[in-house]
């Protein structure tokens, strides 16, 4: 691509444009199995699968799915936490040329019904407890012809498998699924089918994953990610981190694999490098996370700011050797400078902040690992990725350097559109550019800074206020652990700024002290007029703070 001002900040050896290998996503696994057959691929408790063993189970499960009628173009839902079965099901489905529909295990029946009907799911792979507690009661409203059930402990070795099942059953996380037509056990399909060798040739421009994301109508919409999108993003990411050694690195896969960040950065990327994935189903279990990093000598730790914050503030981190960590990828929200510095001092590793979205597979921007790193920025566009900042009103005119506007993106990782949503596709993809809905600015060096979401922007007394800016200031307050800022209705100003704050353990602060701290660093119209202290903030499955839930709470209060 043509030279852009950010290209001068690329590290030596990282090209502006890549020569891509035509590798469908599942082929990355098969190549890793050929080159590193005895290398550990998956670690989950006492279940350890080498790449050779993972290849075998993927091919066997592909045979089982094929026997259920799965073929190129079929849609297969996977509703599981981070388990070996999730990895197996994902690659087996893609190897058959079928489309994966990753489904959040926390979804309630209404959300499952919408997603699976919208995707016309034919086969669903579901946790046994999820099947019994949610799915079985709504089967008449679902399109799936077959269900495959599996338990969290199914691939564990004895005696842990038996002990785990007892505890999981007690906790409501395991259930016996009675024999019934069209319901099959995951372990039976793997055990009774031979490895599939006659796999179809995959068209790189065919859809690999239907990844659901929020819609303007309140219903999630399926971003159609092709094999070309996903394999390009994996290769772009590998190129950006040239110091990672194939067949050597260990990832902590704690980001949910049903989320695009976890899918690409914590599964597709390590598999393409022949790395080891240490699977963690519950990213909220911080003591477990710290233990796994130390025990398995994790070298690559993709996470969100909330996780970095939780780790350094947990007492276990002070007595655990975390110095194996050498590379961290942070996304979804700005990372406070103090958190970055404390985590790097604790581990000796380097955190690079980046940016991505479901529709872009997801990575589009990242700070250089060894070059100029601007903390708080999302860095610069990665190879073959172009970006613009345009005016909010028309979305067509480029704004001057340093000015806020909407971020537009272009690159091989950008989706071709949304399933069954021609109007939303036309709105998001215009003249070859992905309109992100994110407000950002580009500085004189070509580094990009996220200011917030268009829909999150607060309009107070005629001024535009970006919540992310306020949250960054609040996060720098010594007493503050986390913060989230929203706009609330105000008869005089249109909207007023309100911040929700979680204090660090053992710390105290008053509303007046928080406001005074902000007044020193923010223009008067940006200073929160209201401060509410909370024990915790609402978060998504990937630990991203959910401002929309706070907005809805305020709306309910106003209604009463």
């Amino acid at each position: 691509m043509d030279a852009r001002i950010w290209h001068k900040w690329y590290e030596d050896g990282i090209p502006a444009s890549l020569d891509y290998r035509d590798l469908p996503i599942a082929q990355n696994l098969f190549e890793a199995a050929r080159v590193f057959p005895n290398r550990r691929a998956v670690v989950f408790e006492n279940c350890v699968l080498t790449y050779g063993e993972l290849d075998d189970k993927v091919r066997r499960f592909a045979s089982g799915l094929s026997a259920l009628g799965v073929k190129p173009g079929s849609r297969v839902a996977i509703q599981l936490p981070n388990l070996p079965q999730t990895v197996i099901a994902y690659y087996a489905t893609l190897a058959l040329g079928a489309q994966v529909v990753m489904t959040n295990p926390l979804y309630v029946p209404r959300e499952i019904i919408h997603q699976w009907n919208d995707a016309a799911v034919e086969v669903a792979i579901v946790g046994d407890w999820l099947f019994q507690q949610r799915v079985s009661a709504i089967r008449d409203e679902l399109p799936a012809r077959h269900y495959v059930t599996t338990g969290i402990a199914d691939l564990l070795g004895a005696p842990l498998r038996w002990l785990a099942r007892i505890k999981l059953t007690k906790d409501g996380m395991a259930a016996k699924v009675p024999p019934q037509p069209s319901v099959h056990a995951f372990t039976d399909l793997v055990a009774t089918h031979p490895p599939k060798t006659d796999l179809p040739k995959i068209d790189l421009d065919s859809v690999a994953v239907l990844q659901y994301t929020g819609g303007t109508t309140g219903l999630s919409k399926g971003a159609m990610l092709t094999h070309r999108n996903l394999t390009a993003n994996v290769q772009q990411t590998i190129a950006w981190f040239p110091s990672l050694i194939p067949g050597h690195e260990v990832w902590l896969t704690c980001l949910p694999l049903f989320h695009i960040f976890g899918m690409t950065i914590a599964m597709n990327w390590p598999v393409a490098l022949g790395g080891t994935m240490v699977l963690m189903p519950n990213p909220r279990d911080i003591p477990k996370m710290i233990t796994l990093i130390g025990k398995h000598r994790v070298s690559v730790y993709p996470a969100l700011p909330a996780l970095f914050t939780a780790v350094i503030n947990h007492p276990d981190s002070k007595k655990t050797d975390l110095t194996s960590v050498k590379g961290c990828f942070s996304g979804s929200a700005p990372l406070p400078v103090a958190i970055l510095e404390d985590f790097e001092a604790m581990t000796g590793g380097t955190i690079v902040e980046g940016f991505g979205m479901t529709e872009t597979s997801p990575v589009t921007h990242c700070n250089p690992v060894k070059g100029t790193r601007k903390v708080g920025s999302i860095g610069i566009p990665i190879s073959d990725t172009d970006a613009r900042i345009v005016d909010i009103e028309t979305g067509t005119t480029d704004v001057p350097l340093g000015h806020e506007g909407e971020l537009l993106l272009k690159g091989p990782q950008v989706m071709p559109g949304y399933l069954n949503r021609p109007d939303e596709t036309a709105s998001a993809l215009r003249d070859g550019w992905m309109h992100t809905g994110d407000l950002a600015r580009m500085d004189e060096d070509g580094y990009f800074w996220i200011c917030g979401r268009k829909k999150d922007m607060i309009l107070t007394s005629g001024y535009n206020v970006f919540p992310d800016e306020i949250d960054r200031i609040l996060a720098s307050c010594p007493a503050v652990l986390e913060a989230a800022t929203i706009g609330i209705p105000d008869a005089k100003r249109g909207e007023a700024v309100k911040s929700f704050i979680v204090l660090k353990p053992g710390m105290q602060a008053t509303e007046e002290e928080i406001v005074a701290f902000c007044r020193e660093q923010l223009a008067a119209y940006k200073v929160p007029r209201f401060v509410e202290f909370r024990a915790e903030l609402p978060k998504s499955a990937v630990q991203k703070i959910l401002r929309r839930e706070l907005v809805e709470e305020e709306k309910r209060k106003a209604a009463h």
Side-chain angles (χ1 to χ4, degrees):
M1 64 185 296
D2 295 336
R4 297 288 187 267
I5 61 174
W6 53 78
H7 287 158
K8 66 181 179 181
W9 301 108
Y10 276 27
E11 294 177 40
D12 290 343
I14 299 178
S17 185
L18 302 178
D19 183 13
Y20 295 95
R21 298 181 65 198
D22 291 342
L23 281 177
I25 290 299
Q27 192 60 38
N28 283 318
L29 169 63
F30 301 142
E31 285 215 353
R34 178 180 59 81
V35 178
F36 306 109
N38 299 316
R39 166 75 176 169
R40 293 186 309 166
V42 171
V43 176
F44 175 61
E45 300 296 343
N46 70 350
C47 170
V48 178
L49 299 177
T50 65
Y51 271 98
E53 292 166 337
L54 181 59
D55 178 293
D56 179 70
K57 289 187 183 297
V58 165
R59 291 178 182 273
R60 288 178 181 276
F61 192 61
S63 287
L65 289 178
S66 183
L68 299 181
V70 175
K71 57 186 183 301
S74 298
R75 290 171 184 153
V76 177
I78 302 174
Q79 190 178 29
L80 294 170
N82 291 8
L83 301 172
Q85 299 95 301
T86 313
V87 179
I88 293 166
Y90 176 84
Y91 285 105
T93 300
L94 295 182
L96 291 172
Q99 300 172 17
V100 169
V101 182
M102 298 299 269
T103 304
N104 189 335
L106 298 179
Y107 270 4
V108 298
R110 176 188 62 82
E111 294 166 311
I112 299 170
I113 290 168
H114 162 67
Q115 188 188 87
W116 291 4
N117 277 289
D118 187 66
V121 165
E122 298 175 30
V123 174
I125 303 159
V126 187
D128 52 19
W129 73 101
L130 296 172
F131 184 83
Q132 289 295 84
Q133 295 169 10
R134 294 175 215 168
V135 176
S136 61
I138 56 173
R139 284 179 65 183
D140 289 346
E141 301 178 69
L142 299 173
R145 296 179 291 102
H146 292 279
Y147 295 87
V148 180
T149 62
T150 188
I152 292 174
D154 278 0
L155 296 187
L156 298 181
L160 181 59
R161 180 172 66 252
W162 309 322
L163 297 172
R165 281 176 178 163
I166 294 172
K167 185 178 188 309
L168 288 165
T169 301
K170 182 179 178 181
D171 294 342
M173 294 292 289
K176 289 185 178 180
V177 179
Q180 50 194 296
S182 302
V183 179
H184 317 270
F186 183 99
T187 50
D188 288 348
L189 289 182
V190 172
T192 59
H193 287 84
K196 189 169 183 63
T197 55
D198 56 334
L199 294 169
K201 180 177 176 58
I202 305 297
D203 177 1
L204 286 182
D205 292 314
S206 65
V207 174
V209 174
L210 284 175
Q211 192 68 15
Y212 277 75
T213 185
T216 56
T217 62
L219 294 174
S220 60
K221 54 188 185 290
M224 297 185 291
L225 301 178
T226 66
H227 284 268
R228 191 181 301 280
N229 293 151
L230 294 171
T231 194
N233 205 221
V234 168
Q235 293 179 60
Q236 289 168 315
T237 306
I238 289 173
W240 199 256
F241 294 84
S243 63
L244 297 185
I245 304 169
H248 179 77
E249 310 297 345
V250 179
W251 267 254
L252 182 65
T253 300
C254 61
L255 297 173
L257 296 177
F258 57 77
H259 189 278
I260 188 63
F261 191 5
M263 181 195 304
T264 292
I265 299 302
M267 179 169 62
N268 287 341
W269 183 19
V271 166
L273 270 186
T276 298
M277 294 174 283
V278 179
L279 300 181
M280 186 178 176
N282 180 13
R284 290 179 172 85
D285 189 347
I286 302 304
K288 180 75 169 182
M289 185 176 296
I290 293 170
T291 297
L292 291 176
I293 293 173
K295 178 181 178 180
H296 295 288
R297 307 301 294 160
V298 166
S299 58
V300 185
Y301 176 49
L304 277 65
L307 294 180
F308 291 113
T309 302
V311 167
I312 66 170
N313 282 286
H314 197 282
D316 286 359
S317 65
K318 311 299 187 295
K319 54 189 179 185
T320 306
D321 181 4
L322 305 179
T323 58
S324 61
V325 175
K326 64 181 185 181
C328 304
F329 193 118
S330 178
S332 91
L335 183 65
V337 176
I339 298 299
L340 181 144
E341 291 175 345
D342 288 349
F343 192 88
E344 291 189 342
M346 177 182 293
T347 63
T350 300
I351 298 178
V352 290
E353 294 178 85
F355 175 83
M357 55 194 302
T358 300
E359 293 87 343
T360 60
S361 305
V363 186
T364 63
H365 290 66
C366 194
N367 272 272
V369 180
K370 295 182 179 178
T372 299
R373 181 178 56 162
K374 295 194 178 185
V375 178
S377 80
I378 59 171
I380 53 183
I382 60 177
S383 303
D384 292 307
T385 303
D386 206 356
R388 298 166 58 197
I389 306 292
V390 300
D391 69 293
I392 299 172
E393 291 74 23
T394 69
T396 58
T397 304
D398 291 277
V399 302
L401 286 176
H403 287 243
E404 289 94 0
E406 184 179 4
L407 174 64
L408 272 55
L409 299 168
K410 183 186 288 186
Q413 69 272 52
V414 176
M415 68 167 190
Y418 298 110
L419 178 72
N420 303 328
R421 301 288 193 281
D423 291 344
E424 297 233 32
T425 297
S427 175
L429 295 168
R430 286 176 261 163
D431 298 322
W433 290 92
M434 176 74 208
H435 289 245
T436 67
D438 283 295
L439 298 172
R441 62 182 173 85
M442 182 175 72
D443 67 20
E444 66 280 0
D445 294 320
Y447 281 70
F448 287 73
W449 305 74
I450 295 294
C451 304
R453 293 286 293 171
K454 282 171 65 176
K455 62 184 179 182
D456 289 338
M457 188 176 69
I458 303 167
L459 184 61
T460 180
S461 300
Y463 293 102
N464 292 336
V465 176
F466 303 111
D468 281 352
E469 179 186 7
I470 299 170
D471 290 344
R472 278 195 292 270
I473 296 300
L474 289 168
S476 68
C477 177
V480 174
L481 179 67
E482 294 179 316
T485 299
I486 64 171
I488 62 174
D490 184 279
K492 181 180 179 181
R493 299 170 180 81
E495 286 186 296
V497 179
K498 180 172 182 177
S499 295
F500 298 81
I501 289 173
V502 178
L503 295 174
K504 292 178 180 176
M507 301 295 286
Q508 293 182 337
T510 65
E511 180 176 356
E512 291 75 18
E513 289 169 339
I514 294 296
V515 170
F517 181 86
C518 289
R519 281 201 183 110
E520 294 178 358
Q521 304 183 64
L522 291 168
Y525 67 89
K526 299 179 183 179
V527 174
R529 293 191 58 79
F530 303 95
V531 175
E532 182 176 325
F533 295 98
R534 296 218 172 173
E536 60 182 6
L537 297 174
K539 294 176 183 174
S540 69
V542 293
Q543 298 295 285
K544 185 175 183 179
I545 294 173
L546 299 174
R547 283 200 187 104
R548 66 176 181 270
E549 290 196 10
L550 297 172
V551 171
E552 291 302 318
E553 286 183 28
E554 292 298 314
K555 287 181 179 177
R556 289 193 292 269
K557 287 180 186 177
H560 286 85

